[in-house]
Amino acid sequence: MAIKRPPFRDISKDLNEPMAPIEMDDLIDILGIDKNEETPLEPTSDKIKNTYDWYLDGHIALSNLYPPKTKEEENEIVRKFLSGFEKLLDPKNNWTMLQILKTGLDYCVRCQTCSEACHVFIASGRQEIYRPTYRIEILRRIYKKYFTPEGKLLGSFVGADVDLNWKTIYRLAELAHRCNLCRRCAQRCPVGIDNGYLAREIRVLLSQELGISPVEILEKGSRLQLTIGSSTGLSPMALKDYLEFVEEDTYEKTGIKIKFPINKKGAEILLLHNAGEFVSWHENPAAFAILFDAAGISWTISDEPVGYDNVNYGLWNDDIEAARVVLRQAKIGKDLGVKRIVIGECGHSTKAFCVIGDRILTGDLASSEISRESCLPLFWEIYKSGAIKFDPSKNNFPVTLHDPCNIVRNMGIVMPQRKVLSAIAPQWREMHPNGVYNYCCGGGSGFAIMQGLNFPQWRNKVSSRMKLNQILNAFKDELDPNIPKYVCAPCSNCKGTIRDLFAHYNCKEKFNLTYGGLVELMVNAMVDLKKPYITWDEY
């Protein structure tokens, strides 16, 4: 194992090789997996080398970020960056985040306590460029050099020694997309620095001022959602076809007839799913329908554009796009006259709508008028009500729980899901660490959907590595592939990450691991359900 320690000033230099290339020997071991038998790291392709600035770590997250062709373009990139940075420092433009930004820029004591909380840093073999402080130190040195009197006057004597050019900005953009924004680092900081939020501020600057954002998050994410209705490209017409298919498929498999109520005025609950569930895991929205109907809940879904897809990718990169989505979703709920808007099993959208929405939604859209909620406490309410009889023996197989960062660490919804599992899954056990200290799946902040170039390799090998090790340790006494095991991941993006992670490491064949949501386990345990809802061959 070799720890690379590139100087901060290298971020702006012409280089012949990456600042910190990842090598297999650097990576931590995973329980039950021989590193020598892993799929090896593919070297950076000639296409990437000839097309992109690949000199950070040999991987590219921003597949639409091409080097400038002229000196004028280079100067314009720098000008826009400095202009955007100035706006971040302006109380009128950034009143919601300025205190966090300034605290991080002015008061970090470089103790590196946060580094040992970072799953990316640890999984990489503790490579310097993945420390939570590394990208922020570069930002801090730019701040000192261009925005403080002492930096302008004394330069490198006060640490204002990072030159700002297009290479600096492009590599900083890549660095900002080596952070899952999970904010585990913020829990550990003794002086209250939130390096996760600071990484997001870098992304906001780049997206709103320079249009620099992963294509999957902005162009094919938020903007596609606002144009078509869903980030998946699912149109209202296609949605109806999907719903009909799910209704028919559910009846065929379970004998239960469900009917998705669409645009039901005055319903108690408007349920907002991640549209990815309809496309990839339709058993999840079907399970919601079975559960809500059995509990006697008055509910509806919407077929209005944006109203049937709860995702909000602006949470990760762009305040303007985030606000547009939140406003549209809240307006749909108001027009339907519902009392509560419940977000399905999706972490980032729950935080975006229920927490960030408080800064956007006022008046008759405020939470005092229409409640905005996660589905997880509702699941426990349903169980406690006694409206449905459950048989825990139907879930008598090993289960562990993954905690989505945005719901658990960032919102504090810790116990409802655990109470449900304790009641319906006799073999469930915690991962370690767990709850608000759990590790990110490695797909947070957009990584789950970023499939361009060689970034999926980095995600599977580095950012998701700690999660797989956690999962396998939770089942360390039952790794035998003859024993089916279930990872409960109540988040669509987390499921997408785990799906790709399990495929990369062949976990189905090696360990008989599968994954799904909490609602599927609840339906599987229903006494009135005559057939198993969880069928291992399909998961």
Side-chain angles (χ1 to χ4, degrees):
M1 180 184 294
I3 297 177
K4 296 88 175 177
R5 304 181 188 278
F8 294 111
R9 284 174 287 186
D10 281 3
I11 197 80
S12 62
K13 292 181 178 179
D14 289 325
L15 301 173
N16 295 317
E17 60 182 23
M19 294 170 62
I22 292 292
E23 299 171 6
M24 288 297 297
D25 288 344
D26 298 333
L27 306 176
I28 64 163
D29 293 328
I30 302 173
L31 178 69
I33 295 177
D34 186 339
K35 194 186 291 184
N36 294 321
E37 297 178 1
E38 277 190 48
T39 304
L41 280 163
E42 292 291 333
T44 308
S45 69
D46 288 339
K47 175 186 175 182
I48 290 175
K49 291 180 179 179
N50 295 330
T51 309
Y52 299 93
D53 183 90
W54 59 288
Y55 297 105
L56 180 68
D57 58 8
H59 291 81
I60 297 293
L62 295 139
S63 60
N64 56 347
L65 191 58
Y66 304 107
K69 296 178 180 179
T70 66
K71 189 64 177 177
E72 288 74 19
E73 288 181 5
E74 293 179 18
N75 293 338
E76 184 67 2
I77 289 168
V78 172
R79 186 194 67 78
K80 286 183 176 179
F81 182 89
L82 289 173
S83 174
F85 204 159
E86 189 172 21
K87 290 177 183 177
L88 289 183
L89 298 169
D90 183 351
K92 294 180 180 178
N93 284 300
N94 196 26
W95 61 271
T96 57
M97 297 298 300
L98 182 58
Q99 183 177 5
I100 296 173
L101 175 63
K102 286 287 289 177
T103 300
L105 292 175
D106 294 338
Y107 295 107
C108 176
V109 296
R110 286 82 161 179
C111 67
Q112 306 303 338
T113 304
C114 59
S115 297
E116 291 304 315
C118 178
H119 59 288
V120 173
F121 175 69
I122 296 171
S124 72
R126 293 175 167 78
Q127 300 304 320
E128 287 291 318
I129 67 168
Y130 300 134
R131 286 187 186 275
T133 55
Y134 191 88
R135 66 186 66 86
I136 307 308
E137 183 61 30
I138 291 169
L139 188 70
R140 182 179 298 112
R141 293 180 184 215
I142 294 171
Y143 163 69
K144 285 184 176 180
K145 184 169 184 174
Y146 293 93
F147 294 98
T148 67
E150 62 271 23
K152 293 176 181 178
L153 181 64
L154 300 174
S156 60
F157 289 102
V158 291
D161 58 356
V162 169
D163 293 330
L164 188 62
N165 55 37
W166 72 268
K167 298 182 185 69
T168 314
I169 295 167
Y170 278 32
R171 292 167 193 169
L172 186 59
E174 285 289 340
L175 267 178
H177 291 89
R178 299 298 186 272
C179 171
N180 284 122
L181 310 184
C182 77
R183 301 177 67 207
R184 199 170 188 269
C185 56
Q187 290 177 304
R188 299 292 184 87
C189 181
V191 294
I193 307 299
D194 193 335
N195 282 310
Y197 258 136
L198 292 177
R200 183 187 181 273
E201 286 295 271
I202 296 173
R203 293 189 183 194
V204 169
L205 188 166
L206 294 168
S207 179
Q208 294 183 181
E209 296 299 321
L210 291 96
I212 295 175
S213 185
V215 64
E216 298 90 346
I217 293 177
L218 188 59
E219 294 172 35
K220 295 183 179 179
S222 297
R223 290 179 180 169
L224 184 63
Q225 182 184 14
L226 289 163
T227 303
I228 301 297
S230 168
S231 60
T232 64
L234 189 69
S235 68
M237 185 68 71
L239 172 70
K240 293 178 182 178
D241 291 338
Y242 266 96
L243 295 180
E244 289 177 6
F245 163 75
V246 174
E247 291 166 354
E248 293 170 2
D249 187 67
T250 302
Y251 179 69
E252 181 181 322
K253 291 179 179 178
T254 67
I256 294 178
K257 289 185 177 182
I258 61 171
K259 186 69 178 176
F260 288 96
I262 301 175
N263 301 330
K264 180 181 175 183
K265 293 270 189 177
E268 173 76 17
I269 288 173
L270 169 62
L271 179 61
L272 293 181
H273 283 295
N274 183 316
E277 302 288 351
F278 294 117
V279 176
S280 299
W281 303 285
H282 68 264
E283 65 276 358
N284 182 274
F288 270 92
I290 293 171
L291 190 74
F292 280 17
D293 287 349
I297 292 173
S298 171
W299 66 287
T300 188
I301 63 173
S302 170
D303 66 358
E304 288 290 316
V306 184
Y308 55 86
D309 189 357
N310 67 23
V311 307
N312 192 335
Y313 295 158
L315 178 74
W316 304 319
N317 285 64
D318 197 303
D319 293 334
I320 296 171
E321 303 296 339
R324 287 170 175 162
V325 172
V326 165
L327 284 165
R328 180 68 184 137
Q329 291 169 339
K331 181 69 163 50
I332 289 169
K334 179 181 180 297
D335 290 345
L336 287 172
V338 300
K339 296 180 177 64
R340 307 159 70 180
I341 301 177
V342 173
I343 303 295
E345 293 186 346
C346 184
H348 86 274
S349 60
T350 303
K351 179 186 173 183
F353 196 62
C354 298
V355 178
I356 304 303
D358 280 340
R359 304 175 183 178
I360 299 166
L361 302 173
T362 60
D364 58 0
L365 297 179
S367 57
S368 59
E369 303 301 315
I370 306 174
S371 177
R372 304 190 302 276
E373 308 171 18
S374 161
C375 63
L376 299 183
L378 178 59
F379 289 161
W380 180 234
E381 289 177 23
I382 290 171
Y383 181 87
K384 287 192 302 178
S385 73
I388 302 173
K389 292 183 179 180
F390 295 95
D391 178 3
S393 68
K394 297 174 79 172
N395 284 333
N396 195 21
F397 43 80
V399 175
T400 193
L401 175 66
H402 164 66
D403 291 291
C405 301
N406 280 305
I407 297 175
V408 180
R409 181 167 22 259
N410 292 331
M411 291 183 67
I413 302 175
V414 180
M415 293 310 298
Q417 58 272 41
R418 286 171 164 77
K419 291 178 179 178
V420 171
L421 285 173
S422 295
I424 67 168
Q427 291 193 56
W428 101 270
R429 77 288 308 274
E430 293 276 17
M431 295 181 189
H432 294 285
N434 54 65
V436 296
Y437 298 106
N438 211 325
Y439 287 113
C440 177
C441 66
S445 80
F447 290 8
I449 59 171
M450 291 162 58
Q451 302 291 351
L453 301 175
N454 61 353
F455 189 74
Q457 172 176 263
W458 185 90
R459 181 186 64 234
N460 287 322
K461 292 295 189 187
V462 182
S463 69
S464 293
R465 200 172 186 87
M466 289 289 284
K467 178 51 60 180
L468 181 58
N469 197 42
Q470 261 196 303
I471 290 170
L472 292 173
N473 272 281
F475 296 126
K476 62 183 178 182
D477 297 324
E478 295 120 335
L479 291 179
D480 185 340
N482 293 310
I483 303 173
K485 295 166 280 290
Y486 188 94
V487 178
C488 178
C491 170
S492 190
N493 278 298
C494 297
K495 286 193 300 187
T497 302
I498 292 171
R499 172 192 59 200
D500 294 351
L501 185 65
F502 283 5
H504 182 79
Y505 290 97
N506 200 19
C507 290
K508 179 67 176 176
E509 182 178 329
K510 287 182 179 177
F511 308 112
N512 203 354
L513 281 176
T514 193
Y515 66 93
L518 178 57
V519 68
E520 292 97 313
L521 283 171
M522 294 185 74
V523 170
N524 197 60
M526 287 172 57
V527 171
D528 290 343
L529 197 73
K530 304 308 179 186
K531 300 178 182 179
Y533 195 71
I534 295 175
T535 54
W536 298 94
D537 290 341
E538 294 185 7
Y539 273 69

